[in-house]
Amino acid sequence: MRRCPIGLLVLAGELALSSGPAAADSLVVNGTTRTFTLQAPATKPAPLVIVLHGKTQSSADMITRTSWPLIARRDGFAAVYPDGLNRAWADSRPDTRRAGNPPPEGTDDVAFITQLIAKLVGDGTADPKRIYVTGISNGGAMAMTLACERADLFAAAASVVMNLTDESAGACRPARPVPMLLMNGTVDPLIPYQGGRGTSYFAADGFWSTERTLEFWRRVDGCETKDAATTDLPDRNPSDQSTVTRIDSACPQGRDVVLYRVNGGGHRMPGHFPDAHFTKLAATLLGPQNGDIDGADTIWAFFARFP
Protein backbone atom coordinates (compact mmCIF):
# COMPACT_ATOMS: atom_id res chain seq x y z
CA MET A 1 0.00 0.00 0.00
CA ARG A 2 1.26 3.49 -0.80
CA ARG A 3 2.59 5.26 2.28
CA CYS A 4 1.47 8.80 3.04
CA PRO A 5 3.27 11.12 5.46
CA ILE A 6 2.49 10.50 9.11
CA GLY A 7 1.86 14.22 9.58
CA LEU A 8 -1.10 14.03 7.21
CA LEU A 9 -2.40 11.02 9.07
CA VAL A 10 -2.27 12.92 12.34
CA LEU A 11 -4.44 15.66 10.89
CA ALA A 12 -7.05 13.04 10.09
CA GLY A 13 -6.64 11.24 13.42
CA GLU A 14 -10.11 11.61 14.88
CA LEU A 15 -11.80 10.51 11.66
CA ALA A 16 -9.55 7.49 11.24
CA LEU A 17 -9.96 6.39 14.83
CA SER A 18 -13.70 6.73 14.77
CA SER A 19 -14.10 4.82 11.53
CA GLY A 20 -11.40 2.15 11.99
CA PRO A 21 -12.53 -1.49 12.29
CA ALA A 22 -11.62 -2.01 15.96
CA ALA A 23 -13.54 -4.35 18.25
CA ALA A 24 -13.24 -5.33 21.90
CA ASP A 25 -12.96 -9.06 22.56
CA SER A 26 -11.83 -11.50 25.21
CA LEU A 27 -10.53 -15.00 25.79
CA VAL A 28 -10.06 -17.16 28.87
CA VAL A 29 -6.50 -17.98 29.95
CA ASN A 30 -5.97 -20.36 32.86
CA GLY A 31 -9.48 -19.62 34.07
CA THR A 32 -9.13 -15.82 33.86
CA THR A 33 -10.92 -13.66 31.30
CA ARG A 34 -8.44 -11.53 29.38
CA THR A 35 -9.49 -8.59 27.22
CA PHE A 36 -8.09 -6.99 24.09
CA THR A 37 -9.10 -4.73 21.22
CA LEU A 38 -8.45 -5.88 17.67
CA GLN A 39 -8.07 -3.58 14.69
CA ALA A 40 -8.76 -5.99 11.86
CA PRO A 41 -7.08 -5.61 8.46
CA ALA A 42 -8.99 -5.13 5.23
CA THR A 43 -7.27 -8.16 3.69
CA LYS A 44 -6.47 -11.38 5.53
CA PRO A 45 -4.16 -12.90 6.53
CA ALA A 46 -2.06 -9.84 7.31
CA PRO A 47 0.97 -8.91 9.39
CA LEU A 48 0.06 -8.57 13.07
CA VAL A 49 1.51 -6.03 15.51
CA ILE A 50 0.86 -6.65 19.22
CA VAL A 51 0.98 -3.31 21.07
CA LEU A 52 1.50 -3.53 24.84
CA HIS A 53 0.63 -0.57 27.07
CA GLY A 54 2.70 0.72 29.98
CA LYS A 55 1.93 0.29 33.66
CA THR A 56 -1.20 2.19 34.82
CA GLN A 57 -2.34 2.29 31.18
CA SER A 58 -4.76 0.18 29.14
CA SER A 59 -5.32 -0.77 25.53
CA ALA A 60 -7.38 2.40 25.10
CA ASP A 61 -4.32 4.54 25.76
CA MET A 62 -2.37 2.85 22.97
CA ILE A 63 -5.31 3.33 20.60
CA THR A 64 -5.98 6.99 21.36
CA ARG A 65 -2.52 8.30 22.31
CA THR A 66 -0.28 6.72 19.67
CA SER A 67 -0.40 6.58 15.88
CA TRP A 68 -0.58 2.77 15.75
CA PRO A 69 -4.24 2.72 14.59
CA LEU A 70 -3.50 5.20 11.81
CA ILE A 71 -0.42 3.36 10.59
CA ALA A 72 -2.20 -0.01 10.65
CA ARG A 73 -5.01 1.48 8.57
CA ARG A 74 -2.53 3.09 6.17
CA ASP A 75 -0.37 0.00 5.60
CA GLY A 76 -2.98 -2.73 5.93
CA PHE A 77 -1.74 -4.73 8.89
CA ALA A 78 -3.67 -6.00 11.89
CA ALA A 79 -3.03 -4.40 15.28
CA VAL A 80 -4.11 -5.87 18.59
CA TYR A 81 -4.08 -4.01 21.88
CA PRO A 82 -4.23 -6.37 24.90
CA ASP A 83 -5.01 -5.33 28.48
CA GLY A 84 -2.75 -6.25 31.37
CA LEU A 85 -4.30 -7.26 34.69
CA ASN A 86 -4.12 -4.45 37.26
CA ARG A 87 -3.00 -2.34 34.26
CA ALA A 88 0.38 -4.08 34.38
CA TRP A 89 2.29 -6.94 32.76
CA ALA A 90 3.91 -9.97 34.39
CA ASP A 91 7.27 -9.70 32.65
CA SER A 92 10.32 -11.60 33.87
CA ARG A 93 11.35 -9.06 36.51
CA PRO A 94 10.67 -9.77 40.20
CA ASP A 95 8.25 -7.47 42.01
CA THR A 96 11.16 -5.70 43.71
CA ARG A 97 12.14 -4.32 40.29
CA ARG A 98 8.69 -2.85 39.69
CA ALA A 99 7.13 0.46 40.63
CA GLY A 100 3.54 0.28 41.82
CA ASN A 101 1.17 -2.66 41.99
CA PRO A 102 2.11 -5.81 40.03
CA PRO A 103 -0.39 -8.07 38.26
CA PRO A 104 -2.18 -10.63 40.48
CA GLU A 105 -0.02 -13.48 41.70
CA GLY A 106 0.12 -16.31 39.20
CA THR A 107 -0.60 -14.12 36.15
CA ASP A 108 0.87 -15.73 33.02
CA ASP A 109 1.03 -13.07 30.34
CA VAL A 110 3.25 -15.18 28.11
CA ALA A 111 0.38 -17.70 27.98
CA PHE A 112 -2.10 -14.88 27.30
CA ILE A 113 -0.20 -13.46 24.34
CA THR A 114 0.60 -16.94 23.02
CA GLN A 115 -3.09 -17.88 23.12
CA LEU A 116 -4.06 -14.56 21.55
CA ILE A 117 -1.69 -15.18 18.65
CA ALA A 118 -3.06 -18.70 18.21
CA LYS A 119 -6.59 -17.28 18.03
CA LEU A 120 -5.72 -14.67 15.41
CA VAL A 121 -3.70 -17.08 13.31
CA GLY A 122 -6.41 -19.71 13.63
CA ASP A 123 -9.21 -17.43 12.42
CA GLY A 124 -7.15 -16.28 9.44
CA THR A 125 -6.50 -12.72 10.65
CA ALA A 126 -2.73 -12.98 11.16
CA ASP A 127 0.08 -14.27 8.97
CA PRO A 128 2.08 -16.54 11.32
CA LYS A 129 5.34 -15.56 9.61
CA ARG A 130 4.78 -11.83 10.19
CA ILE A 131 3.93 -11.40 13.87
CA TYR A 132 5.57 -8.57 15.81
CA VAL A 133 5.45 -7.34 19.40
CA THR A 134 6.18 -3.94 20.87
CA GLY A 135 5.50 -2.17 24.14
CA ILE A 136 6.24 0.91 26.18
CA SER A 137 7.75 0.87 29.68
CA ASN A 138 6.32 -2.20 31.47
CA GLY A 139 4.97 -3.18 28.06
CA GLY A 140 8.51 -2.88 26.69
CA ALA A 141 9.74 -5.24 29.40
CA MET A 142 6.94 -7.64 28.43
CA ALA A 143 7.88 -7.39 24.75
CA MET A 144 11.45 -8.40 25.64
CA THR A 145 10.17 -11.22 27.85
CA LEU A 146 8.10 -12.55 24.94
CA ALA A 147 11.11 -12.34 22.62
CA CYS A 148 13.07 -14.32 25.19
CA GLU A 149 10.48 -16.99 25.97
CA ARG A 150 8.61 -17.36 22.67
CA ALA A 151 11.12 -16.29 20.03
CA ASP A 152 9.55 -18.87 17.72
CA LEU A 153 6.43 -16.71 17.40
CA PHE A 154 7.92 -13.35 16.45
CA ALA A 155 9.55 -11.96 13.33
CA ALA A 156 10.82 -8.92 15.31
CA ALA A 157 10.31 -7.05 18.58
CA ALA A 158 10.66 -3.49 19.89
CA SER A 159 10.91 -2.01 23.37
CA VAL A 160 10.33 1.66 24.24
CA VAL A 161 11.76 3.28 27.42
CA MET A 162 12.86 0.07 29.13
CA ASN A 163 16.11 -1.68 30.02
CA LEU A 164 16.93 -5.17 31.21
CA THR A 165 17.70 -6.18 34.79
CA ASP A 166 19.90 -8.99 36.09
CA GLU A 167 16.79 -11.11 36.52
CA SER A 168 15.22 -10.48 33.12
CA ALA A 169 18.53 -10.97 31.33
CA GLY A 170 19.27 -14.14 33.30
CA ALA A 171 15.90 -15.59 32.33
CA CYS A 172 16.35 -14.78 28.64
CA ARG A 173 17.18 -17.84 26.56
CA PRO A 174 15.54 -17.30 23.17
CA ALA A 175 15.15 -20.33 20.93
CA ARG A 176 16.39 -18.28 17.98
CA PRO A 177 17.61 -14.72 17.24
CA VAL A 178 14.91 -12.04 17.09
CA PRO A 179 15.54 -8.64 15.46
CA MET A 180 15.24 -6.00 18.19
CA LEU A 181 14.66 -2.25 18.25
CA LEU A 182 15.22 -0.19 21.40
CA MET A 183 14.03 3.40 21.88
CA ASN A 184 15.16 5.09 25.11
CA GLY A 185 15.46 8.64 26.43
CA THR A 186 18.65 9.90 28.05
CA VAL A 187 16.87 11.85 30.81
CA ASP A 188 14.25 9.21 31.64
CA PRO A 189 13.43 9.63 35.37
CA LEU A 190 11.96 6.12 35.72
CA ILE A 191 14.19 3.88 33.57
CA PRO A 192 17.58 5.62 33.68
CA TYR A 193 19.60 5.53 30.48
CA GLN A 194 22.77 4.95 32.50
CA GLY A 195 21.16 2.24 34.64
CA GLY A 196 20.53 1.90 38.36
CA ARG A 197 17.63 3.79 39.92
CA GLY A 198 15.89 6.71 38.29
CA THR A 199 15.44 10.15 39.82
CA SER A 200 11.67 9.82 40.16
CA TYR A 201 10.12 9.05 43.55
CA PHE A 202 8.28 6.22 41.77
CA ALA A 203 11.40 4.64 40.24
CA ALA A 204 12.63 1.14 41.06
CA ASP A 205 16.28 0.12 41.30
CA GLY A 206 18.44 -2.42 39.51
CA PHE A 207 18.13 -1.52 35.84
CA TRP A 208 20.90 -2.12 33.38
CA SER A 209 22.09 0.77 31.25
CA THR A 210 20.76 1.13 27.73
CA GLU A 211 24.26 0.43 26.37
CA ARG A 212 24.42 -2.85 28.30
CA THR A 213 20.91 -3.79 27.20
CA LEU A 214 21.86 -3.05 23.59
CA GLU A 215 25.01 -5.14 23.91
CA PHE A 216 22.95 -8.03 25.33
CA TRP A 217 20.67 -8.13 22.31
CA ARG A 218 23.65 -7.84 19.99
CA ARG A 219 25.14 -10.95 21.60
CA VAL A 220 21.83 -12.81 21.37
CA ASP A 221 21.56 -12.01 17.67
CA GLY A 222 25.20 -12.76 16.86
CA CYS A 223 26.11 -9.13 16.11
CA GLU A 224 29.36 -7.32 16.71
CA THR A 225 29.39 -5.64 20.11
CA LYS A 226 30.49 -2.19 18.92
CA ASP A 227 28.34 0.40 17.13
CA ALA A 228 28.33 -0.03 13.36
CA ALA A 229 27.05 3.46 12.55
CA THR A 230 25.72 6.48 14.41
CA THR A 231 23.33 8.85 12.64
CA ASP A 232 21.93 12.07 14.07
CA LEU A 233 18.42 12.45 12.71
CA PRO A 234 17.00 15.84 11.62
CA ASP A 235 15.80 18.05 14.48
CA ARG A 236 12.35 18.57 13.01
CA ASN A 237 10.87 19.93 16.23
CA PRO A 238 13.42 22.21 17.93
CA SER A 239 10.89 23.18 20.62
CA ASP A 240 10.69 19.64 22.08
CA GLN A 241 14.01 19.96 23.96
CA SER A 242 15.35 16.74 22.43
CA THR A 243 16.92 15.14 19.37
CA VAL A 244 17.26 11.58 18.11
CA THR A 245 20.33 9.53 17.22
CA ARG A 246 20.04 6.17 15.47
CA ILE A 247 22.70 3.63 16.45
CA ASP A 248 23.03 0.62 14.15
CA SER A 249 24.72 -2.72 14.68
CA ALA A 250 26.79 -5.00 12.46
CA CYS A 251 24.64 -8.14 12.47
CA PRO A 252 24.08 -11.21 10.33
CA GLN A 253 21.36 -10.73 7.73
CA GLY A 254 17.89 -10.77 9.24
CA ARG A 255 19.09 -10.26 12.82
CA ASP A 256 19.23 -6.47 13.05
CA VAL A 257 19.56 -4.69 16.38
CA VAL A 258 19.05 -0.92 16.43
CA LEU A 259 18.82 1.75 19.12
CA TYR A 260 17.03 5.07 18.78
CA ARG A 261 18.62 7.22 21.48
CA VAL A 262 16.39 10.17 22.33
CA ASN A 263 18.85 12.81 23.50
CA GLY A 264 17.12 14.80 26.23
CA GLY A 265 14.04 12.58 25.98
CA GLY A 266 12.06 11.36 28.97
CA HIS A 267 9.91 8.35 29.79
CA ARG A 268 7.77 9.03 26.74
CA MET A 269 6.87 7.53 23.38
CA PRO A 270 8.23 9.83 20.64
CA GLY A 271 5.44 10.93 18.37
CA HIS A 272 3.03 13.50 17.03
CA PHE A 273 0.25 12.57 19.45
CA PRO A 274 0.23 13.95 23.02
CA ASP A 275 0.81 10.79 25.05
CA ALA A 276 -0.95 12.09 28.16
CA HIS A 277 -4.12 14.02 28.95
CA PHE A 278 -2.30 16.49 31.19
CA THR A 279 0.68 17.34 29.03
CA LYS A 280 2.36 19.80 31.42
CA LEU A 281 2.10 17.38 34.33
CA ALA A 282 3.47 14.58 32.15
CA ALA A 283 6.43 16.74 31.18
CA THR A 284 7.13 17.41 34.86
CA LEU A 285 6.84 13.78 35.97
CA LEU A 286 8.14 11.94 32.90
CA GLY A 287 10.35 14.42 31.03
CA PRO A 288 10.12 15.75 27.46
CA GLN A 289 8.33 13.94 24.62
CA ASN A 290 10.29 13.98 21.39
CA GLY A 291 8.52 15.12 18.24
CA ASP A 292 11.27 14.61 15.66
CA ILE A 293 10.14 11.06 14.91
CA ASP A 294 6.96 9.13 15.38
CA GLY A 295 7.74 6.10 17.52
CA ALA A 296 5.09 3.82 16.07
CA ASP A 297 5.90 4.73 12.47
CA THR A 298 9.62 4.15 13.14
CA ILE A 299 8.98 0.78 14.75
CA TRP A 300 6.69 -0.36 11.94
CA ALA A 301 9.33 0.57 9.33
CA PHE A 302 11.72 -1.71 11.25
CA PHE A 303 9.19 -4.53 11.58
CA ALA A 304 8.20 -4.42 7.92
CA ARG A 305 11.70 -5.56 6.92
CA PHE A 306 11.25 -8.97 8.57
CA PRO A 307 11.07 -11.76 7.73
Side-chain angles (χ1 to χ4, degrees):
M1 180 178 294
R2 182 173 64 87
R3 294 169 65 91
C4 62
I6 191 66
L8 296 180
L9 289 174
V10 171
L11 294 176
E14 290 188 9
L15 176 62
L17 288 172
S18 64
S19 61
D25 203 346
S26 65
L27 50 81
V28 177
V29 181
N30 298 330
T32 300
T33 299
R34 304 302 303 267
T35 59
F36 61 92
T37 299
L38 174 66
Q39 184 178 358
T43 303
K44 303 178 182 180
L48 170 68
V49 177
I50 301 165
V51 182
L52 304 175
H53 61 75
K55 179 167 282 190
T56 76
Q57 295 182 318
S58 69
S59 59
D61 292 294
M62 297 296 96
I63 294 170
T64 60
R65 301 199 180 281
T66 75
S67 61
W68 278 115
L70 304 177
I71 297 165
R73 184 177 176 86
R74 179 192 70 189
D75 288 355
F77 60 86
V80 65
Y81 310 90
D83 291 297
L85 298 177
N86 288 351
R87 293 177 173 259
W89 298 105
D91 61 75
S92 53
R93 295 173 295 160
D95 288 348
T96 55
R97 300 292 190 227
R98 304 174 187 275
N101 294 327
E105 186 176 354
T107 298
D108 189 344
D109 281 324
V110 172
F112 171 32
I113 301 303
T114 300
Q115 192 169 323
L116 178 58
I117 291 170
K119 171 183 172 61
L120 297 177
V121 169
D123 68 13
T125 297
D127 178 348
K129 294 182 179 180
R130 295 186 292 170
I131 295 174
Y132 313 93
V133 62
T134 184
I136 182 169
S137 191
N138 180 201
M142 192 66 222
M144 288 193 281
T145 295
L146 287 162
C148 292
E149 297 191 24
R150 292 308 309 263
D152 57 304
L153 295 177
F154 301 104
S159 169
V160 181
V161 295
M162 179 53 63
N163 288 322
L164 292 167
T165 67
D166 286 343
E167 296 85 358
S168 57
C172 186
R173 299 178 182 86
R176 64 176 181 81
V178 177
M180 178 65 67
L181 181 149
L182 303 175
M183 187 177 289
N184 287 354
T186 61
V187 296
D188 189 328
L190 288 173
I191 310 297
Y193 193 88
Q194 300 298 334
R197 187 184 188 278
T199 58
S200 170
Y201 171 82
F202 303 101
D205 200 359
F207 287 100
W208 283 14
S209 68
T210 297
E211 286 89 348
R212 189 178 178 190
T213 301
L214 176 65
E215 183 179 338
F216 176 90
W217 286 109
R218 284 173 171 170
R219 289 199 308 271
V220 165
D221 285 2
C223 310
E224 295 181 13
T225 57
K226 295 182 179 180
D227 298 346
T230 300
T231 306
D232 292 325
L233 302 185
D235 186 8
R236 294 193 171 96
N237 186 355
S239 66
D240 66 9
Q241 308 174 54
S242 60
T243 60
V244 179
T245 300
R246 175 182 168 127
I247 300 172
D248 289 290
S249 310
C251 300
Q253 185 175 1
R255 300 183 184 184
D256 295 25
V257 176
V258 62
L259 165 66
Y260 283 84
R261 184 183 69 208
V262 186
N263 310 300
H267 194 72
R268 313 284 292 274
M269 174 81 154
H272 308 301
F273 277 73
D275 61 350
H277 183 66
F278 300 102
T279 55
K280 290 185 178 180
L281 180 62
T284 299
L285 296 177
L286 302 176
Q289 180 187 20
N290 179 267
D292 298 324
I293 64 172
D294 183 84
D297 204 28
T298 300
I299 291 168
W300 170 243
F302 177 79
F303 284 170
R305 296 163 47 201
F306 308 102

